[in-house]
Amino acid sequence: MNQIVFIKNNQVVCYVYGYPENHGYGISMSEKTTQVPAGSLLKADEQRLFEVVRDGDVVYLKSN
């Protein structure tokens, strides 16, 4: 299950959650990200490349 939380000025401004199979997309990040409890953190000023991978009807963004 993916849970994506968008934060601005220390407040949640948007969140998306669910199974990739239900939404048609998913995000997978490698161990290179900053680890927080039960997840990964990606900051807006990071320059991270993602590979687009299609698996059936689901599109995944996978970081290298």
Side-chain angles (χ1 to χ4, degrees):
M1 175 180 269
N2 288 141
Q3 180 170 355
I4 306 163
V5 181
F6 297 88
I7 299 173
K8 182 174 183 177
N9 298 328
N10 293 322
Q11 295 207 6
V12 174
V13 294
C14 180
Y15 67 92
V16 179
Y17 66 94
Y19 291 99
E21 298 80 18
N22 294 339
H23 291 291
Y25 63 87
I27 297 177
S28 174
M29 298 193 333
S30 70
E31 311 81 45
K32 296 178 188 175
T33 60
T34 303
Q35 295 298 309
V36 295
S40 297
L41 176 65
L42 178 64
K43 295 184 178 186
D45 61 351
E46 289 184 46
Q47 297 295 313
R48 180 170 291 273
L49 296 177
F50 285 86
E51 177 184 8
V52 178
V53 178
R54 184 176 298 275
D55 183 6
D57 292 334
V58 181
V59 174
Y60 290 95
L61 296 178
K62 295 187 176 190
S63 71
N64 299 329

